[in-house]
Amino acid sequence: MAVAAPLNVDLHCHSSFSDGVLAPEALAQRACKQGVQVWSLTDHDELGGLGPAAKAAADHGLLFIPGVEISVSWARQTVHIVGLNIDPENAGLVNALNELRGWRESRARDMGDKLATLGFDGCYEGALTYADNPQLLSRTHFARYMVSRGWFKTMQEVFDRYLGDGKPGNVPTRWASLEDAVGWIQAAGGMAVIAHPGRYKFDDTQFDALYGVFRDAGGQGIEVVTGSHRPDQYATYAQIAKHYGFKASRGSDFHSPDESPVDLGALPPLPQGLKPVWADWV
Ligand code: AMP
Ligand code: MN
Ligand code: MN
Ligand code: MN
């Protein structure tokens, strides 16, 4: 008997409404071409792309899950919380994200000033030219500009040397609290999911506290198979999901055809024995 292929589910990617380069329509088309069947757009702190994405997804026969990736500050690091199956019209969520985006403007100006003192001129204005949505200026836009000037070969090099957390060109920002972000997602009818846990530099005690606080706040999911993990991390976070009773998610974190190491829908399936976050939606 033939075993049915697992559903191709991709629940994490970015459009030009945040720091991705493709419009939602082009992303939907690419997802379809890549064989994705269940798709979510999860722009940073922004819901503006969800309307066009839902329409384009329907045109391509994709099951669309409205999503968002919220920036959170926890234990002096930035943690990303993905909200899945949210109501994009929910007033509480809309207003909260509006306020969060407001903080990006002053941070971007400060980052421009800081980079100027380090010898990189015009970065604020330059980053703006890479942002379709001026409300959502991100470090990614700065990195694109700094590569375009020929100062660096790759965006990774920019993050490693200047824009990554703790690097000299970065301006630390206080984002939402973990409890607030989970609360907004839940009030909008969605499921909160810890994005790419393998990227955070916490020790075991801090990770245990993070998972506990997240779960107590009502968080239910964790990304296991993501383009932001190395393949050897899939098993690590599969174990974490089982240990803490989290549902598991899969998403490419696709930003751009030229920059992203993993294309939409191209990751391996979830490891066996996990409860997928999408089980009740498909
Ligand atoms: P921001 O929300 O403005 O702080 O920018 C965060 C975005 O920068 C992330 O969503 C990634 O797209 C990108 N980013 C952050 N850290 C790195 C890194 N070390 N290497 C490459 N891209 C990164
Ligand atoms: Mn990003
Ligand atoms: Mn992220
Ligand atoms: Mn992301």
Side-chain angles (χ1 to χ4, degrees):
M1 193 178 75
V3 178
L7 268 185
N8 193 332
V9 180
D10 193 324
L11 300 179
H12 189 147
C13 72
H14 298 275
S15 79
S16 50
F17 278 80
S18 65
D19 61 348
V21 303
L22 300 181
E25 293 85 351
L27 271 179
Q29 187 177 31
R30 191 178 185 98
C32 179
K33 208 170 130 228
Q34 285 285 118
V36 173
Q37 294 158 294
V38 183
W39 176 55
S40 182
L41 174 64
T42 54
D43 276 318
H44 298 285
D45 309 323
E46 170 64 81
L47 307 172
L50 296 178
K55 187 174 177 310
D59 291 345
H60 290 286
L62 304 174
L63 174 61
F64 184 64
I65 309 291
V68 65
E69 183 175 16
I70 302 181
S71 310
V72 159
S73 295
W74 194 83
R76 297 170 172 271
Q77 287 187 46
T78 299
V79 168
H80 285 169
I81 301 294
V82 165
L84 295 175
N85 210 22
I86 48 161
D87 169 11
E89 312 279 330
N90 179 269
L93 181 62
V94 168
N95 292 337
L97 296 181
N98 212 10
E99 190 181 355
L100 215 53
R101 287 196 301 275
W103 303 346
R104 285 184 175 269
E105 169 65 20
S106 58
R107 174 232 203 188
R109 288 184 185 276
D110 291 349
M111 219 144 58
D113 292 345
K114 215 167 175 183
L115 288 165
T117 66
L118 294 165
F120 304 107
D121 59 292
C123 288
Y124 171 75
E125 295 77 10
L128 260 182
T129 67
Y130 280 85
D132 278 5
N133 176 4
Q135 281 210 343
L136 208 293
L137 256 188
S138 132
R139 282 182 284 169
T140 314
H141 300 112
F142 279 79
R144 286 192 183 123
Y145 174 72
M146 293 169 79
V147 170
S148 79
R149 288 288 302 264
W151 295 327
F152 301 91
K153 283 208 171 59
T154 64
M155 291 172 57
Q156 193 56 51
E157 196 186 345
V158 185
F159 276 97
D160 289 347
R161 292 177 56 188
Y162 287 96
L163 290 184
D165 294 346
K167 302 295 175 187
N170 184 40
V171 172
T173 311
R174 184 148 193 94
W175 300 113
S177 76
L178 180 62
E179 291 86 347
D180 280 353
V182 173
W184 301 331
I185 291 166
Q186 286 202 301
M191 182 193 293
V193 177
I194 297 178
H196 43 61
R199 273 187 29 186
Y200 311 130
K201 297 185 172 55
F202 294 131
D203 61 30
D204 289 349
T205 310
Q206 288 174 312
F207 267 119
D208 183 59
L210 171 70
Y211 301 140
V213 172
F214 174 73
R215 199 172 48 190
D216 289 348
Q220 295 183 55
I222 191 166
E223 288 186 342
V224 170
V225 175
T226 145
S228 292
H229 281 171
R230 298 183 313 270
D232 66 283
Q233 292 176 309
Y234 304 158
T236 306
Y237 292 98
Q239 273 313 112
I240 294 284
K242 286 181 192 165
H243 183 78
Y244 289 88
F246 292 136
K247 297 179 183 179
S249 194
R250 172 184 191 255
S252 57
D253 209 354
F254 181 79
H255 284 71
S256 152
D258 298 329
E259 298 161 6
S260 296
V262 176
D263 211 326
L264 289 157
L267 287 166
L270 287 180
Q272 294 291 320
L274 298 174
K275 291 186 211 127
V277 294
W278 59 83
D280 294 337
W281 306 333
V282 298

mmCIF file of all heavy atoms in Angstrom, residues 185-206:
data_model
loop_
_atom_site.group_PDB
_atom_site.id
_atom_site.type_symbol
_atom_site.label_atom_id
_atom_site.label_comp_id
_atom_site.label_asym_id
_atom_site.label_seq_id
_atom_site.Cartn_x
_atom_site.Cartn_y
_atom_site.Cartn_z
ATOM 1 N N ILE A 185 -2.381 37.563 20.308
ATOM 2 C CA ILE A 185 -2.629 36.494 19.325
ATOM 3 C C ILE A 185 -3.861 35.681 19.738
ATOM 4 O O ILE A 185 -4.751 35.406 18.927
ATOM 5 C CB ILE A 185 -1.376 35.583 19.201
ATOM 6 C CG1 ILE A 185 -0.232 36.349 18.528
ATOM 7 C CG2 ILE A 185 -1.714 34.309 18.429
ATOM 8 C CD1 ILE A 185 1.140 35.685 18.658
ATOM 9 N N GLN A 186 -3.926 35.348 21.008
ATOM 10 C CA GLN A 186 -5.066 34.546 21.487
ATOM 11 C C GLN A 186 -6.371 35.307 21.367
ATOM 12 O O GLN A 186 -7.398 34.747 20.972
ATOM 13 C CB GLN A 186 -4.830 34.148 22.936
ATOM 14 C CG GLN A 186 -3.785 33.065 23.065
ATOM 15 C CD GLN A 186 -3.950 32.349 24.375
ATOM 16 O OE1 GLN A 186 -3.880 32.979 25.427
ATOM 17 N NE2 GLN A 186 -4.179 31.068 24.323
ATOM 18 N N ALA A 187 -6.331 36.607 21.726
ATOM 19 C CA ALA A 187 -7.552 37.411 21.648
ATOM 20 C C ALA A 187 -8.015 37.550 20.199
ATOM 21 O O ALA A 187 -9.197 37.789 19.944
ATOM 22 C CB ALA A 187 -7.318 38.784 22.273
ATOM 23 N N ALA A 188 -7.079 37.418 19.258
ATOM 24 C CA ALA A 188 -7.434 37.471 17.832
ATOM 25 C C ALA A 188 -7.762 36.070 17.307
ATOM 26 O O ALA A 188 -7.812 35.855 16.081
ATOM 27 C CB ALA A 188 -6.294 38.096 17.027
ATOM 28 N N GLY A 189 -7.969 35.119 18.220
ATOM 29 C CA GLY A 189 -8.395 33.772 17.833
ATOM 30 C C GLY A 189 -7.286 32.877 17.326
ATOM 31 O O GLY A 189 -7.555 31.801 16.778
ATOM 32 N N GLY A 190 -6.028 33.307 17.494
ATOM 33 C CA GLY A 190 -4.915 32.569 16.885
ATOM 34 C C GLY A 190 -4.141 31.700 17.862
ATOM 35 O O GLY A 190 -4.418 31.672 19.063
ATOM 36 N N MET A 191 -3.170 30.993 17.331
ATOM 37 C CA MET A 191 -2.278 30.141 18.112
ATOM 38 C C MET A 191 -0.880 30.760 18.116
ATOM 39 O O MET A 191 -0.339 31.081 17.059
ATOM 40 C CB MET A 191 -2.206 28.741 17.488
ATOM 41 C CG MET A 191 -1.327 27.784 18.294
ATOM 42 S SD MET A 191 -0.923 26.285 17.391
ATOM 43 C CE MET A 191 -2.513 25.514 17.293
ATOM 44 N N ALA A 192 -0.298 30.900 19.321
ATOM 45 C CA ALA A 192 1.052 31.469 19.431
ATOM 46 C C ALA A 192 2.101 30.355 19.324
ATOM 47 O O ALA A 192 1.953 29.294 19.929
ATOM 48 C CB ALA A 192 1.205 32.207 20.751
ATOM 49 N N VAL A 193 3.149 30.638 18.554
ATOM 50 C CA VAL A 193 4.193 29.650 18.242
ATOM 51 C C VAL A 193 5.558 30.327 18.417
ATOM 52 O O VAL A 193 5.782 31.407 17.860
ATOM 53 C CB VAL A 193 4.039 29.166 16.773
ATOM 54 C CG1 VAL A 193 5.146 28.197 16.402
ATOM 55 C CG2 VAL A 193 2.665 28.542 16.541
ATOM 56 N N ILE A 194 6.449 29.720 19.150
ATOM 57 C CA ILE A 194 7.811 30.271 19.281
ATOM 58 C C ILE A 194 8.550 30.057 17.959
ATOM 59 O O ILE A 194 8.690 28.921 17.494
ATOM 60 C CB ILE A 194 8.590 29.582 20.420
ATOM 61 C CG1 ILE A 194 7.902 29.846 21.770
ATOM 62 C CG2 ILE A 194 10.035 30.082 20.455
ATOM 63 C CD1 ILE A 194 8.583 29.159 22.951
ATOM 64 N N ALA A 195 9.010 31.156 17.363
ATOM 65 C CA ALA A 195 9.728 31.057 16.088
ATOM 66 C C ALA A 195 11.185 30.658 16.323
ATOM 67 O O ALA A 195 11.797 31.060 17.307
ATOM 68 C CB ALA A 195 9.679 32.401 15.360
ATOM 69 N N HIS A 196 11.710 29.876 15.416
ATOM 70 C CA HIS A 196 13.140 29.487 15.356
ATOM 71 C C HIS A 196 13.885 29.540 16.695
ATOM 72 O O HIS A 196 14.831 30.332 16.859
ATOM 73 C CB HIS A 196 13.886 30.332 14.321
ATOM 74 C CG HIS A 196 13.553 31.814 14.319
ATOM 75 N ND1 HIS A 196 13.772 32.629 15.396
ATOM 76 C CD2 HIS A 196 13.005 32.603 13.363
ATOM 77 C CE1 HIS A 196 13.389 33.859 15.105
ATOM 78 N NE2 HIS A 196 12.905 33.876 13.878
ATOM 79 N N PRO A 197 13.497 28.666 17.665
ATOM 80 C CA PRO A 197 14.153 28.696 18.977
ATOM 81 C C PRO A 197 15.665 28.497 18.890
ATOM 82 O O PRO A 197 16.407 29.018 19.734
ATOM 83 C CB PRO A 197 13.487 27.551 19.752
ATOM 84 C CG PRO A 197 12.867 26.676 18.690
ATOM 85 C CD PRO A 197 12.476 27.597 17.582
ATOM 86 N N GLY A 198 16.117 27.804 17.867
ATOM 87 C CA GLY A 198 17.548 27.536 17.739
ATOM 88 C C GLY A 198 18.387 28.781 17.500
ATOM 89 O O GLY A 198 19.620 28.726 17.576
ATOM 90 N N ARG A 199 17.736 29.900 17.226
ATOM 91 C CA ARG A 199 18.516 31.125 16.979
ATOM 92 C C ARG A 199 18.817 31.916 18.244
ATOM 93 O O ARG A 199 19.645 32.821 18.225
ATOM 94 C CB ARG A 199 17.768 32.024 15.989
ATOM 95 C CG ARG A 199 18.118 31.643 14.580
ATOM 96 C CD ARG A 199 17.607 32.498 13.486
ATOM 97 N NE ARG A 199 17.375 33.891 13.731
ATOM 98 C CZ ARG A 199 16.801 34.682 12.814
ATOM 99 N NH1 ARG A 199 16.461 34.182 11.650
ATOM 100 N NH2 ARG A 199 16.588 35.938 13.058
ATOM 101 N N TYR A 200 18.140 31.590 19.359
ATOM 102 C CA TYR A 200 18.328 32.402 20.557
ATOM 103 C C TYR A 200 19.517 31.908 21.353
ATOM 104 O O TYR A 200 19.774 30.706 21.421
ATOM 105 C CB TYR A 200 17.051 32.398 21.419
ATOM 106 C CG TYR A 200 15.817 32.701 20.595
ATOM 107 C CD1 TYR A 200 14.686 31.902 20.643
ATOM 108 C CD2 TYR A 200 15.819 33.781 19.718
ATOM 109 C CE1 TYR A 200 13.579 32.163 19.864
ATOM 110 C CE2 TYR A 200 14.703 34.054 18.922
ATOM 111 C CZ TYR A 200 13.591 33.238 18.994
ATOM 112 O OH TYR A 200 12.512 33.488 18.207
ATOM 113 N N LYS A 201 20.221 32.858 21.959
ATOM 114 C CA LYS A 201 21.426 32.491 22.704
ATOM 115 C C LYS A 201 21.137 32.449 24.202
ATOM 116 O O LYS A 201 21.726 33.188 24.976
ATOM 117 C CB LYS A 201 22.546 33.465 22.364
ATOM 118 C CG LYS A 201 22.904 33.371 20.892
ATOM 119 C CD LYS A 201 24.069 34.196 20.470
ATOM 120 C CE LYS A 201 24.442 33.875 19.030
ATOM 121 N NZ LYS A 201 23.300 34.022 18.103
ATOM 122 N N PHE A 202 20.193 31.591 24.588
ATOM 123 C CA PHE A 202 19.877 31.394 26.000
ATOM 124 C C PHE A 202 20.584 30.144 26.500
ATOM 125 O O PHE A 202 20.859 29.220 25.721
ATOM 126 C CB PHE A 202 18.365 31.195 26.179
ATOM 127 C CG PHE A 202 17.535 32.414 25.841
ATOM 128 C CD1 PHE A 202 16.425 32.307 24.994
ATOM 129 C CD2 PHE A 202 17.838 33.655 26.371
ATOM 130 C CE1 PHE A 202 15.655 33.422 24.685
ATOM 131 C CE2 PHE A 202 17.063 34.779 26.070
ATOM 132 C CZ PHE A 202 15.975 34.659 25.227
ATOM 133 N N ASP A 203 20.839 30.093 27.816
ATOM 134 C CA ASP A 203 21.321 28.827 28.386
ATOM 135 C C ASP A 203 20.106 27.943 28.715
ATOM 136 O O ASP A 203 18.961 28.368 28.570
ATOM 137 C CB ASP A 203 22.238 29.061 29.606
ATOM 138 C CG ASP A 203 21.542 29.784 30.757
ATOM 139 O OD1 ASP A 203 20.301 29.615 30.903
ATOM 140 O OD2 ASP A 203 22.216 30.510 31.501
ATOM 141 N N ASP A 204 20.380 26.711 29.172
ATOM 142 C CA ASP A 204 19.290 25.748 29.388
ATOM 143 C C ASP A 204 18.253 26.265 30.389
ATOM 144 O O ASP A 204 17.054 26.053 30.221
ATOM 145 C CB ASP A 204 19.858 24.408 29.890
ATOM 146 C CG ASP A 204 20.616 23.679 28.788
ATOM 147 O OD1 ASP A 204 20.521 24.111 27.622
ATOM 148 O OD2 ASP A 204 21.308 22.690 29.102
ATOM 149 N N THR A 205 18.738 26.927 31.434
ATOM 150 C CA THR A 205 17.824 27.451 32.462
ATOM 151 C C THR A 205 16.915 28.514 31.867
ATOM 152 O O THR A 205 15.700 28.542 32.132
ATOM 153 C CB THR A 205 18.644 28.067 33.620
ATOM 154 O OG1 THR A 205 19.620 27.123 34.020
ATOM 155 C CG2 THR A 205 17.752 28.436 34.783
ATOM 156 N N GLN A 206 17.496 29.389 31.045
ATOM 157 C CA GLN A 206 16.687 30.448 30.424
ATOM 158 C C GLN A 206 15.684 29.859 29.440
ATOM 159 O O GLN A 206 14.530 30.284 29.390
ATOM 160 C CB GLN A 206 17.606 31.450 29.705
ATOM 161 C CG GLN A 206 18.405 32.331 30.654
ATOM 162 C CD GLN A 206 19.398 33.194 29.909
ATOM 163 O OE1 GLN A 206 20.150 32.715 29.053
ATOM 164 N NE2 GLN A 206 19.411 34.478 30.218
#
